[in-house]
Amino acid sequence: MLGRDRIQYKTTDQIRLMRKAGLVVADALDAVRAALRPGVTTKELDAVAHDVIRSAGAVPSFLGYGHPPFPAVTCISVNEEIVHGIPGARVVREGDVVSVDCGAILSGWHGDSAFTAVVPRADGTVDPRDADLSAVTESSMWHGIAAIRAGERLGEIGGAVEDHVADRYGLVEDYGGHGIGTEMHQAPHVLNYRTRDKGPRMRAGLCVAIEPMLAAGDPASRELADGWTVATRDGGKAAHWEHSVALHDGGIWVLTARDGGEAALGALGVKVAPLAD
Ligand code: MG
Ligand code: MG
């Protein structure tokens, strides 16, 4: 839908600024991950992210976004919720599948990232089916990121995500990734599946958030009455992973990953290209 709108191509200096925003988001998500345990409320987790963003001198991008204005700095989506869950009084329980999405603005540049975690039971174990759902969602994201290459079509990203998921899980098609820069959501829209129209060729300066969502069962979704939360229709669990990625003359750099994506992409044979300060 946004695929043919103008893409904001970034200079290397602008990508360096986006990296700083990306690291604020990484710090916020790490802090939430450390605080995630049975008994904590999703509102308390949101406050943890807010503190990190505020301390960094950054601005939360989700707060007040859209209509109705989003009332928090993270989206926290539990179990059958796929994305856009509103933090509140809900208490996290053992075995919950919790997706946390966070965005921040630093010096006018945005970062956007999400992870899913399965909350261990008292004995430290998790349901292996839930762990696999999250792991395949994460690896599908890395396969999508690995497909970002100058000269290739944007549609290679969704093709790589779809090929990796294959028939193991339901691929949520109603939401996707997006360009990111001086706005959280920019052109192009990045699909998580293959289409006949493969879209524009990627080139240096492209910055995109890659964010596949998988459902354990049917991926059909519905929006809840709060105007935000998106959940599976069949009540099956879902997972969501996201990173913001820059393509520059030297290659790709995962702006919201502390190691720039080196470990996960290295395992796929892709060498990341961090920009020196
Ligand atoms: Mg996000
Ligand atoms: Mg996003």
Side-chain angles (χ1 to χ4, degrees):
M1 155 183 75
L2 294 170
R4 300 304 183 198
D5 290 355
R6 254 169 70 95
I7 294 172
Q8 178 189 56
Y9 293 98
K10 285 79 176 175
T11 67
T12 51
D13 281 344
Q14 290 170 337
I15 290 170
R16 287 187 182 95
L17 292 172
M18 287 185 66
R19 168 63 166 174
K20 291 189 167 65
L23 287 177
V24 172
V25 175
D27 287 344
L29 289 178
D30 281 352
V32 172
R33 200 192 295 256
L36 183 60
R37 54 182 161 69
V40 72
T41 67
T42 54
K43 196 178 183 66
E44 288 167 341
L45 294 173
D46 189 72
V48 167
H50 204 167
D51 281 348
V52 171
I53 292 169
R54 199 189 288 117
S55 306
V59 176
S61 49
F62 293 6
L63 189 63
Y65 183 89
H67 303 285
F70 193 78
V73 310
T74 58
C75 296
I76 303 185
S77 309
V78 182
N79 294 335
E80 76 285 357
E81 296 171 357
I82 304 169
V83 284
H84 303 168
I86 300 175
R90 182 171 187 159
V91 176
V92 171
R93 299 188 185 288
E94 290 180 13
D96 278 350
V97 175
V98 181
S99 301
V100 182
D101 191 346
C102 186
I105 312 163
L106 188 68
S107 310
W109 295 93
H110 286 249
D112 187 7
S113 181
F115 72 90
T116 294
V118 186
V119 180
R121 306 180 188 108
D123 64 2
T125 61
V126 298
D127 186 325
R129 294 169 299 181
D130 295 338
D132 190 69
L133 171 66
S134 177
V136 173
T137 309
E138 183 185 10
S139 57
S140 74
M141 171 193 68
W142 289 115
H143 279 78
I145 293 170
I148 299 174
R149 196 170 308 138
E152 298 288 348
R153 300 267 184 196
L154 188 75
E156 297 296 338
I157 298 171
V161 171
E162 182 177 339
D163 286 349
H164 182 70
V165 176
D167 294 324
R168 290 183 284 177
Y169 292 107
L171 195 44
V172 176
E173 295 190 352
D174 301 336
Y175 303 86
H178 49 90
I180 182 166
T182 53
E183 304 285 340
M184 177 163 56
H185 293 131
Q186 299 182 323
H189 186 56
V190 184
L191 300 172
N192 288 316
Y193 54 93
R194 177 173 281 106
T195 53
R196 197 191 309 221
D197 177 0
K198 298 184 98 179
R201 288 194 191 279
M202 295 180 271
R203 66 172 171 88
L206 178 75
C207 294
V208 281
I210 305 304
E211 49 177 319
M213 291 142 254
L214 300 185
D218 190 322
S221 69
R222 65 192 180 97
E223 189 180 281
L224 305 190
D226 62 21
W228 277 103
T229 310
V230 176
T232 59
R233 285 183 179 273
D234 69 1
K237 290 176 179 172
H240 174 219
W241 280 81
E242 177 179 25
H243 271 307
S244 300
V245 186
L247 173 62
H248 61 85
D249 287 325
I252 62 172
W253 193 20
V254 183
L255 303 172
T256 45
R258 198 167 303 285
D259 73 347
E262 184 178 358
L265 291 171
L268 300 178
V270 174
K271 193 168 169 14
V272 295
L275 288 168
D277 280 335

